[in-house]
Amino acid sequence: MVLPRVAGASVRAAVMASLVAAPQLALGAAAPDGAQLVTLFALMAALFTFSEYASAAPSLVEFRDAPPYNRMKVVALFAMLLLAALMLRGEGDRATLSLLLRALSDRLGALLDFPGSPVRLAVLALAPEAAESALRPLRAAAAATLAVGVSTVVAFATMMHLRGWLERQDFNVWINLPQFDPTAGGDVVDRLQRVALANLALGILLPFLLPLLAGALGIGAVTEPATLVWMVTAWAFVPASFAMRALALLRVAHRIAIARAAGPAEAEDGSVWQAA
């Protein structure tokens, strides 16, 4: 089992390195210092991913052996980065697909840009004094990434319901939840539900709170396109990740409760139900 695990870890490491480099490649040429920094971050992401997936048990990555949780997150992150880069790279790209995506994102941005909306808050936090011509691509990028984030959460919830995620597969709590100790005290179902609700609240509130935090810290008037791409993507991806984690933890708590009601005969050796 070691060689297949190492091979899979190598593929995932390459994917993560490509993901980190993708925005800079989509934006075009960069300064030598910027290219070196991107290369360094890509190598760091690849090494971290390889170490997490090549080891018998991860130290940080959750739901490692519960696909497609992490796969959906990576696809969503990749889509957010490319869309944000496409919106912010300027008008030089005249390809039909690029023009279509810009038009749709621009219309979506105009629709979501109303007083108090997360898109309006994000645009004002990142470009508080920019002209309308500079606000339009940023607004389009914020709207596109937010739409991808919401769509990913909805798709994950739909997949859980239709495919019965975690209902017909082995699930080891020690591997898939390395930061959660089921023996720390208190009822494990109640703890999982509390953590899930806290994550859900963060998923809902962070699109509003992150721009306010950026304003309070004086993070504004960003002009570097690559930095804007990552900031807009983080603004949309982090809340979506919290929301997905909340749904996943609620499903784990639900399965534990069902296994308890069914009795110990239903729990398999090494499964989350026995470990809980």
Side-chain angles (χ1 to χ4, degrees):
M1 296 296 293
V2 175
L3 289 179
R5 188 167 64 236
V6 171
S10 300
V11 172
R12 290 176 171 87
V15 169
M16 290 304 299
S18 301
L19 187 148
V20 173
Q24 195 65 61
L25 295 175
L27 288 170
D33 292 342
Q36 293 176 3
L37 191 61
V38 170
T39 303
L40 175 61
F41 282 133
L43 289 175
M44 291 173 59
L47 289 174
F48 171 77
T49 304
F50 181 83
S51 64
E52 286 288 292
Y53 279 88
S55 61
S59 58
L60 292 175
V61 175
E62 294 185 327
F63 299 101
R64 191 187 75 171
D65 294 335
Y69 177 84
N70 286 319
R71 296 173 188 175
M72 294 182 70
K73 289 177 65 175
V74 169
V75 171
L77 179 58
F78 197 78
M80 290 179 184
L81 288 170
L82 288 184
L83 282 173
L86 182 63
M87 298 303 112
L88 296 170
R89 68 182 297 179
E91 300 295 333
D93 188 0
R94 308 300 297 177
T96 303
L97 180 59
S98 299
L99 293 175
L100 177 61
L101 290 175
R102 284 200 189 97
L104 292 176
S105 298
D106 191 56
R107 184 175 293 270
L108 182 61
L111 181 65
L112 298 179
D113 186 16
F114 54 87
S117 71
V119 171
R120 171 70 64 86
L121 293 175
V123 170
L124 292 178
L126 295 177
E129 299 178 356
E132 177 62 24
S133 58
L135 289 179
R136 284 187 61 187
L138 180 58
R139 182 172 56 201
T145 53
L146 182 63
V148 171
V150 173
S151 299
T152 303
V153 175
V154 172
F156 180 64
T158 304
M159 180 276 300
M160 289 176 59
H161 176 70
L162 296 180
R163 293 181 52 186
W165 186 67
L166 296 187
E167 292 184 359
R168 293 181 295 273
Q169 66 186 90
D170 294 334
F171 184 89
N172 192 309
V173 68
W174 309 109
I175 292 178
N176 290 285
L177 292 173
Q179 300 299 313
F180 181 81
D181 184 4
T183 64
D187 184 76
V188 65
V189 174
D190 291 340
R191 288 172 54 211
L192 283 170
Q193 290 176 342
R194 286 196 300 269
V195 173
L197 292 178
N199 278 261
L200 185 60
L202 287 173
I204 295 173
L205 295 176
L206 279 179
F208 300 90
L209 296 180
L210 287 178
L212 299 178
L213 179 62
L217 295 177
I219 303 174
V222 180
T223 58
E224 175 62 32
T227 304
L228 272 175
V229 167
W230 279 104
M231 293 183 70
V232 171
T233 299
W235 165 78
F237 179 75
V238 172
S241 297
F242 275 114
M244 289 180 64
R245 186 172 188 264
L247 295 175
L249 292 177
L250 287 175
R251 173 54 61 91
V252 173
H254 176 67
R255 294 306 303 165
I256 293 175
I258 291 178
R260 283 178 176 177
E266 296 293 327
E268 297 180 359
D269 184 52
S271 68
V272 64
W273 327 130
Q274 182 175 0

